Amino acid sequence: MTQDRGGRTLLRERVAHQHNKVSFVELFFDLVFVFAITQISHTLLEHFSPLGLAQAVLLLGAVWWVWVYTSWVTNWLDPETTPVRLMLFALMFAGLILSTSLPEAFEGRGLIFACAYVATQLGRSIFAMLSLRAHSPANFRNFQRITLWLALSGLFWITGGLAEGEARFGLWALALAIEYAGPALGFRIPGLGRSTTSDWNVEGAHLAERCALFIIIALGESILVTGATAAKLAATPANMLAFANAFLSSIAMWWIYFHIGAERGSERIAHSDDPGAIARIAYTYIHLLLVAGIILVAVGDEFVLAYPGGHTEAKVAIAVIGGPGFYLLGNLLFKKVTAGWYPLSHMVGLGLLALLALFPGVLPPLAFSLTATAILVLVAAWEALSLRPKEA
């Protein structure tokens, strides 16, 4: 299918020196992933262990891959056309099934998770391939390759859903590794060759806006989680301070990404001669670190809200340090790709977090978390004072 019933092509219309704004149906689609991220956060809270962390990383990698692949597709296909809208609604339903299965993905709902995931990935890819066939030969061949890669990984997803325990984790890790290797290897297929980033003629500003909105979703999820927890607690000074600390960390994370980085990244990719290359590394891969950091910060805030005093346990220290660490590292790499240098403020922030990691037994959970938040605030303030929006 390449046209709707009105004879209109399903591809987005592109106008020079302009970019398509994110549509309402794309935002509607994103709501499914508020639920997915909440599910991962809650699951990690209940199973915060080395195995639980590894499983959460795998599940987050899968959820992110569904979302970011869909964002690439709607960069080319127009969600204002009825067939594309219906495709997104079908993906939303499959995404809801996937999200509901997340807490028990490594238990009794593994096959449901795997089937929902494979159906989403393959269904969307086949739809895009057929839609692009008559209008974009290079991307039609690209989606032929992508579909074959997803079919290969799908075998391991389904087999893993049928397996149990360590076998399931190993098969799913292999499936996810295949999918993450695909863009880096150009989806090379014998007889079909490989894709180049020049084939991926994305509208950079639109993809940048999509990813920025996902960061907003993740930050919003963290506020929802901590707000719901704080509402159930007694209004003691320690609890109120822990809640204020959680909110301040969200503001600092918003500032670090949106003050300069998001807009500059959008400008850089929009004016690049090879936007596909920037989209692949800066948005497809690196943004996953940002989302992982936000989730870990939310988990750390939950731990601190539950037990602000006493001894700082290892799991609390890992979440409180790891969340800001992943977030700063992701921003550091993102800004290196889009600005051309490593921000000194981010490197200093990572160094201070490394120092803080040496003292989990000295500070109680609330003081430990307050110090980590202070480091984020320091980095945000450094960015605000050294780089103003008009100078970006």
Side-chain angles (χ1 to χ4, degrees):
M1 177 183 293
T2 60
Q3 296 179 331
D4 63 12
R5 289 191 173 182
R8 193 168 47 147
T9 177
L10 300 187
L11 271 65
R12 282 184 181 270
E13 181 180 355
R14 297 191 180 183
V15 180
H17 309 299
Q18 297 183 23
H19 85 272
N20 287 297
K21 295 292 185 181
V22 174
S23 65
F24 291 127
V25 71
E26 289 174 285
L27 291 174
F28 188 38
F29 172 82
D30 289 351
L31 294 178
V32 171
F33 293 89
V34 176
F35 181 41
I37 291 175
T38 301
Q39 291 282 76
I40 293 172
S41 295
H42 288 167
T43 302
L44 188 55
L45 275 169
E46 295 174 5
H47 305 284
F48 201 96
S49 64
L51 178 59
L53 279 168
Q55 291 175 347
V57 168
L58 194 154
L59 294 176
L60 175 60
V63 167
W64 170 256
W65 222 230
V66 168
W67 182 86
V68 80
Y69 265 42
T70 305
S71 296
W72 276 80
V73 166
T74 54
N75 191 272
W76 291 305
L77 301 184
D78 186 0
E80 297 302 323
T81 60
T82 298
V84 177
R85 282 185 174 178
L86 293 176
M87 182 268 293
L88 287 175
F89 294 152
L91 293 182
M92 288 177 68
F93 182 68
L96 281 173
I97 295 174
L98 183 148
S99 298
T100 57
S101 66
L102 285 171
E104 296 185 18
F106 289 96
E107 297 172 3
R109 294 194 175 188
L111 187 58
I112 295 175
F113 171 84
C115 289
Y117 182 86
V118 172
T120 300
Q121 293 289 74
L122 273 179
R124 181 198 53 243
S125 183
I126 291 170
F127 182 93
M129 179 178 65
L130 297 177
S131 299
L132 292 164
R133 182 172 186 173
H135 302 282
S136 180
N139 268 321
F140 169 69
R141 289 190 297 273
N142 184 34
F143 273 96
Q144 283 182 310
R145 302 181 189 106
I146 292 173
T147 300
L148 291 173
W149 273 72
L150 293 176
L152 174 62
S153 66
L155 294 175
F156 294 100
W157 283 113
I158 299 299
T159 305
L162 294 169
E164 296 181 357
E166 294 180 0
R168 176 177 295 176
F169 184 88
L171 288 166
W172 282 0
L174 177 58
L176 196 63
I178 290 171
E179 295 194 16
Y180 271 70
L185 298 176
F187 301 104
R188 182 184 293 276
I189 294 290
L192 290 177
R194 61 168 291 169
S195 303
T196 64
T197 53
S198 61
D199 294 332
W200 305 339
N201 57 333
V202 294
E203 185 184 307
H206 175 264
L207 187 63
E209 185 179 3
R210 294 288 286 124
C211 288
L213 289 172
F214 197 91
I215 298 301
I216 289 289
I217 287 173
L219 287 171
E221 182 275 339
S222 70
I223 292 174
L224 288 173
V225 169
T226 54
T229 299
K232 300 175 184 177
L233 299 175
T236 64
N239 289 340
M240 296 301 292
L241 182 57
F243 180 58
N245 174 65
F247 182 64
L248 183 59
S249 68
S250 295
I251 293 176
M253 288 190 291
W254 182 92
W255 198 285
I256 289 168
Y257 179 79
F258 285 98
H259 176 62
I260 290 296
E263 183 177 351
R264 183 170 55 200
S266 179
E267 289 290 324
R268 173 71 187 277
I269 192 173
H271 295 92
S272 172
D273 294 330
D274 190 3
I278 297 177
R280 181 178 65 180
I281 183 64
Y283 292 98
T284 303
Y285 287 119
I286 292 177
H287 267 61
L288 179 58
L289 291 174
L290 304 179
V291 178
I294 293 170
I295 290 176
L296 266 181
V297 168
V299 170
D301 290 337
E302 285 281 293
F303 286 148
V304 174
L305 281 166
Y307 302 103
H311 175 72
T312 300
E313 298 180 22
K315 66 178 184 180
V316 177
I318 290 171
V320 169
I321 294 293
F326 275 113
Y327 191 76
L328 286 180
L329 177 61
N331 272 282
L332 179 82
L333 297 175
F334 172 62
K335 291 172 183 178
K336 173 61 172 69
V337 173
T338 56
W341 67 83
Y342 294 107
L344 179 59
S345 61
H346 294 45
M347 292 189 285
V348 170
L350 288 169
L352 292 174
L353 287 172
L355 286 176
L356 180 60
L358 300 176
F359 302 100
V362 176
L363 299 172
L366 179 54
F368 195 73
S369 182
L370 284 167
T371 307
T373 298
I375 293 172
L376 285 176
V377 171
L378 172 65
V379 174
W382 191 328
E383 289 279 284
L385 294 174
S386 61
L387 292 171
R388 294 179 174 83
K390 65 180 181 180
E391 298 170 354

